[in-house]
Amino acid sequence: MKKIEAIIRKEKFEEIRKALHEADIDFLSWWDAKGHGTEKQPRIFRGVAYDVSNIERINLSFVVRDINMEKAVNAVIKSAYTGESGDGRIFVSSIEQSIRIRTGERGSESLK
């Protein structure tokens, strides 16, 4: 099992959620995130300078079976991509155990 955490642009959330649903990933958690990026230069649009180091973000978190990991990561990459600095990051880590509280199922069976 893998835990996938993605820090994404807030305006891309609905598109990413739909892409994950199409990839059969329906259980996820998210919350607003704040942080500081590496972008140092302000963006200038129509003569107005914008600070792009503080783009509004959402942090997504979900656990998938190993066979669904690539499909889920690719769904996030494809739907989060803008080509601009600040598209976000994806982190994948291993999960040792998963237990469904209601039934006591363990391992990848608890994720179905």
Side-chain angles (χ1 to χ4, degrees):
M1 295 172 289
K2 302 292 184 199
K3 180 178 184 179
I4 300 173
E5 292 185 79
I7 300 169
I8 59 163
R9 293 173 181 262
K10 194 170 193 171
E11 68 266 14
K12 294 296 244 169
F13 174 69
E14 282 302 319
E15 186 177 341
I16 293 167
R17 192 175 63 79
K18 288 176 185 173
L20 287 170
H21 176 72
E22 291 172 6
D24 298 323
I25 310 299
D26 292 317
F27 184 82
L28 57 111
S29 299
W30 67 90
W31 54 94
D32 289 333
K34 293 183 180 182
H36 190 312
T38 58
E39 186 72 32
K40 302 288 188 244
Q41 299 293 325
R43 287 271 161 95
I44 298 177
F45 180 71
R46 295 186 179 171
V48 178
Y50 293 93
D51 179 9
V52 294
S53 65
N54 294 317
I55 298 170
E56 291 189 32
R57 309 271 185 205
I58 289 183
N59 192 338
L60 298 175
S61 179
F62 54 97
V63 177
V64 297
R65 296 183 298 156
D66 289 337
I67 61 172
N68 293 334
M69 192 269 300
E70 281 298 322
K71 183 169 55 169
V73 167
N74 289 334
V76 173
I77 291 170
K78 183 179 176 186
S79 55
Y81 178 80
T82 67
E84 298 290 325
S85 178
D87 276 350
R89 298 275 192 278
I90 299 172
F91 304 98
V92 179
S93 53
S94 294
I95 297 294
E96 291 183 32
Q97 185 64 269
S98 172
I99 303 163
R100 182 177 294 179
I101 294 172
R102 180 177 53 87
T103 62
E105 292 173 303
R106 293 175 179 261
S108 62
E109 291 298 311
S110 69
L111 300 177
K112 292 182 180 178

